[in-house]
Amino acid sequence: MTLYTTLTDHDLVAFLKDGDKTAFTEIYNRYKGLLYIHAYNRLRNQQEADDVVHELFASLWTKREELFLKTHLSGYLYQAVRNRIIDVISHKKVESAYIVSLQHFIDHSEAVTDHLVRENELTALIEKEISALPPKMKEVFELSRKANLSHREIASKLELSEMTVKKHVNNALKILRSKFGLISFLIYLGHH
């Protein structure tokens, strides 16, 4: 019988790739505390730090067969947590900007019909710009934002790599933001 606590990270990863739950548990027990502390120090929120670590390990298990480490396991896990922390922080900033913008609009709004007219005009302009995107970028963007498909689902549906899907979505967002500004575009996305 293998004593998992004595195995190297490299050996644990090999067992993990084969679906060994005990190896996964050992990796979890070995790194969860350090990763949580790192996440908490950056986020200053216990629930968010717990969520980041939980999502990382859930992803590690579901993607175990395709796991390819360019570095040590500890470096991979640290980088993965760091990326998730950045996602949480940037999501908070976008959410905060949207709320501030919305509150400002409510505080200074004119008649509701005027708002609806402006919103419809903005929506029409954005739809026009979306239509002007290159065909594949437009298709990917609409599946992402209107059909609410994940990058993985889009990649599977269109037979593209997830990286290609991500690039199409990011490029479409850059184009649209440059034409309409961030706040206007966020308000549009909030309705779709």
Side-chain angles (χ1 to χ4, degrees):
M1 181 172 162
T2 305
L3 186 58
Y4 286 85
T5 55
T6 63
L7 292 176
T8 65
D9 285 354
H10 180 75
D11 292 336
L12 286 172
V13 168
F15 283 124
L16 173 67
K17 284 183 169 187
D18 290 336
D20 188 321
K21 291 180 182 174
T22 308
F24 173 78
T25 302
E26 177 58 28
I27 292 169
Y28 178 81
N29 289 335
R30 206 173 273 188
Y31 289 105
K32 72 173 182 196
L34 292 171
L35 295 172
Y36 171 82
I37 290 168
H38 177 65
Y40 181 78
N41 285 340
R42 300 290 293 203
L43 297 170
R44 294 289 178 206
N45 180 302
Q46 289 180 343
Q47 185 62 48
E48 288 175 349
D50 277 337
D51 289 348
V52 161
V53 172
H54 176 75
E55 288 169 14
L56 167 64
F57 280 105
S59 175
L60 182 67
W61 177 255
T62 57
K63 296 178 179 178
R64 67 189 177 276
E65 292 172 0
E66 51 199 70
L67 183 64
F68 174 74
L69 300 182
K70 295 178 184 172
T71 179
H72 299 288
L73 176 62
S74 58
Y76 170 83
L77 294 173
Y78 176 81
Q79 186 63 40
V81 162
R82 185 176 170 274
N83 291 342
R84 289 174 190 278
I85 290 168
I86 290 168
D87 289 346
V88 168
I89 291 170
S90 62
H91 178 74
K92 280 184 186 178
K93 287 180 181 176
V94 168
E95 196 175 72
S96 176
Y98 177 75
I99 290 169
V100 167
S101 168
L102 193 57
Q103 187 60 51
H104 178 53
F105 178 79
I106 290 168
D107 292 345
H108 300 93
S109 69
E110 298 171 5
V112 172
T113 44
D114 183 48
H115 164 68
L116 293 174
V117 167
R118 289 176 194 215
E119 185 178 308
N120 289 338
E121 288 174 349
L122 177 61
T123 300
L125 285 170
I126 292 174
E127 289 295 337
K128 180 181 173 192
E129 290 301 327
I130 290 171
S131 295
L133 292 172
K136 187 57 75 174
M137 186 185 297
K138 175 186 171 209
E139 183 179 17
V140 167
F141 183 79
E142 288 182 333
L143 287 172
S144 172
R145 291 305 188 261
K146 293 182 180 177
N148 291 318
L149 297 181
S150 70
H151 288 180
R152 174 174 278 163
E153 291 168 327
I154 296 167
S156 174
K157 182 177 180 119
L158 299 180
E159 299 180 357
L160 299 170
S161 73
E162 283 185 58
M163 186 57 71
T164 300
V165 169
K166 185 176 180 178
K167 283 183 182 177
H168 278 308
V169 170
N170 286 341
N171 288 339
L173 289 171
K174 282 180 190 172
I175 291 168
L176 295 170
R177 276 190 212 120
S178 71
K179 298 207 183 259
F180 297 104
L182 181 61
I183 299 303
S184 299
F185 190 62
L186 287 175
I187 291 170
Y188 168 79
L189 286 179
H191 294 296
H192 284 63

